[in-house]
Amino acid sequence: REIAIVLGTRPEIIKLAPIIRECEAQSIPYTVIHTGQHYSDSLTSVFFEELSLPKPEYELSVGSGTHGQQTGQMIIDIEAVLLEEEPDVVLVQGDTNSVLSGAIACCKLSIELGHVEAGLRSRDREMPEERNRVLADHASEYLFAPTAQSKRSLREEGIDDDRIHVTGNTVVDAVRQHKRVAMAETSVFDDYDLTRGEYCLLTAHRAETVDDEGRFASLLEGVGRVAERLDQDVLYPIHPRAANAVAEFGLEIPDRVRTVDPLDYIDFLALESGATLILTDSGGVQEEACILGVPCVTLRENTERPETLAVDANVLAGTDPQSIYEGAREMLDRSPNWENPFGDGDAAARIVDVIRQSETPARVAG
Ligand code: UD1
Ligand code: UDP
């Protein structure tokens, strides 16, 4: 069966890379359609190069815009490719506007859709990602839920059991495939003059945080407090959305917080592994911290990754400076010997097997 893989942002490239490799390994015909939602080299082409992925067959160059503009243009452009390619199944991953667009294009053409990382729920409908996930899940014939918890969330919404496949999260495959190389080959510690176990790592890019001046300033103050009191630098590879917000609001970055350009995956994975503590509002970074056994403080009020809280690998601190500091203290007092709840690193193989074996198209109930 022929698969089209729609992707458009950094986390989608990283988490779909194991599936692309699996298609190669099993000689399954596939096409990659890059929407162009991310276009800066540091958010896209760097990953294709270092993860040795073939160049996408289609590069749609949609770029940035309002949600409606971006999503609308992507639907139009993806539809044109799907009409040309006529795949049997389309795969999307996660919760971005590229995912929603791929899902709608499939619905309109009655092409089967598989959603990788189905069933994640923050229950926060203010997040554009939450709406994208819910819509993509309900549009999908194949729902690849990473955990039993995500399957339960889908069942609670009335999605048929036979459409849901618990596979683990492909982020575990990605970490396993790259960690050894990351630790052996990175020069990131020298590049940034850091010693393993003597620094913290920060990422913050969510629209609801960095687009709000007060909330972003408060987050930075909290992270600065952690740095001062732990007497450790905090490295902050800064996403362009956040860098733009810092400039626009004229925010001050605390002394011991060091902003650097976004990093490639190998360097970032090495930095995650060597950090004392990870502070983040990213979904994928919460998962990777948990998998790598590094304590995590999530700079949000909620998470669609509750498995990380259940195994004590993560706390929710929001953006209040004192609760960020207290969250950091609490996490550093815990021993990092939790179980990885996201599977065994064979998620991509399971996903590809499900698609390969489903000769009879699954049907959406109702
Ligand atoms: C998107 C996803 C978010 C995901 C993140 C991964 C949606 C609604 N959001 O957020 O869920 O966590 O990607 O990193 O899909 N920009 C650049 N270069 C780029 C891309 C963006 O400079 O290559 C800047 C532009 O100023 C743009 C802003 O970042 O306006 C936001 O980009 P956008 O793709 O809309 O959302 P992200 O914040 O990247
Ligand atoms: N990441 C990276 N370089 C960086 C920051 C993050 O390679 O400078 C990786 C990280 O390891 C994870 C993914 O990007 O796999 C997370 O993407 P992001 O935080 O942009 O999106 P989210 O997961 O929140 O949707």
Side-chain angles (χ1 to χ4, degrees), residues 10-11 14 47 205-206 237 262-265 268 272 282-284 288:
R10 168 169 73 187
I14 293 168
F47 298 106
H205 74 283
R206 296 241 89 80
L263 297 167
D264 64 36
Y265 191 53
F268 191 76
E272 285 180 303
S282 158
E288 286 168 349

Side-chain angles (χ1 to χ4, degrees), residues 9-11 37-40 43 64-65 67 70 95-98 128-129 132 205-206 239-241 244:
T9 67
R10 168 169 73 187
Q37 177 171 347
H38 281 176
Y39 44 86
S40 299
L43 294 185
S64 305
H67 285 273
Q70 192 181 51
D95 52 25
T96 67
N97 288 347
S98 294
E129 291 85 359
N132 289 345
H205 74 283
R206 296 241 89 80
H239 185 290
R241 179 192 278 276
N244 293 343

Side-chain angles (χ1 to χ4, degrees), residues 241-357:
R241 179 192 278 276
N244 293 343
V246 167
E248 185 190 329
F249 300 138
L251 295 177
E252 213 169 298
I253 304 286
D255 279 348
R256 299 205 60 179
V257 178
R258 292 162 51 190
T259 57
V260 297
D261 286 338
L263 297 167
D264 64 36
Y265 191 53
I266 296 298
D267 285 349
F268 191 76
L269 206 49
L271 277 180
E272 285 180 303
S273 309
T276 317
L277 183 72
I278 294 178
L279 302 126
T280 192
D281 65 0
S282 158
V285 176
Q286 287 175 66
E287 292 161 348
E288 286 168 349
C290 180
I291 294 162
L292 293 166
V294 179
C296 183
V297 176
T298 292
L299 308 169
R300 291 172 45 191
E301 306 293 343
N302 52 56
T303 179
E304 56 292 311
R305 274 89 176 169
E307 298 88 347
T308 60
L309 303 176
V311 299
D312 285 342
N314 189 10
V315 286
L316 294 177
T319 51
D320 172 67
Q322 192 54 22
S323 46
I324 293 174
Y325 174 66
E326 282 164 14
R329 279 262 51 105
E330 183 181 337
M331 281 313 301
L332 289 171
D333 286 343
R334 291 186 191 170
S335 58
N337 52 5
W338 49 78
E339 297 257 317
N340 155 29
F342 294 113
D344 53 11
D346 288 327
R350 289 199 187 92
I351 290 166
V352 171
D353 284 348
V354 168
I355 294 171
R356 202 165 37 79
Q357 287 160 13

Side-chain angles (χ1 to χ4, degrees), residues 123-255:
R123 320 275 170 206
D124 175 2
R125 288 173 65 87
E126 293 292 304
M127 290 177 74
E129 291 85 359
E130 182 74 356
R131 290 175 186 262
N132 289 345
R133 295 182 191 112
V134 171
L135 292 166
D137 281 338
H138 285 263
S140 295
E141 277 76 22
Y142 304 97
L143 294 103
F144 300 110
T147 65
Q149 162 82 53
S150 36
K151 174 170 178 167
R152 266 198 303 281
S153 298
L154 295 169
R155 296 288 292 133
E156 282 165 18
E157 292 175 18
I159 293 179
D160 287 347
D161 193 54
D162 59 3
R163 285 159 61 199
I164 308 171
H165 308 271
V166 178
T167 57
N169 195 310
T170 59
V171 73
V172 182
D173 308 31
V175 169
R176 298 243 162 110
Q177 287 167 14
H178 301 292
K179 187 177 168 198
R180 210 155 34 90
V181 176
M183 298 314 278
E185 291 182 7
T186 188
S187 61
V188 76
F189 297 105
D190 292 338
D191 298 346
Y192 294 109
D193 196 18
L194 294 168
T195 306
R196 288 178 173 83
E198 293 183 13
Y199 67 91
C200 301
L201 185 63
L202 167 67
T203 78
H205 74 283
R206 296 241 89 80
E208 65 271 20
T209 306
V210 304
D211 291 2
D212 180 309
E213 181 176 349
R215 227 177 273 161
F216 196 10
S218 174
L219 179 153
L220 289 170
E221 186 187 332
V223 173
R225 195 173 295 178
V226 172
E228 291 298 337
R229 301 214 182 143
L230 296 187
D231 193 19
Q232 293 197 359
D233 282 355
V234 175
L235 198 78
Y236 180 12
I238 188 165
H239 185 290
R241 179 192 278 276
N244 293 343
V246 167
E248 185 190 329
F249 300 138
L251 295 177
E252 213 169 298
I253 304 286
D255 279 348

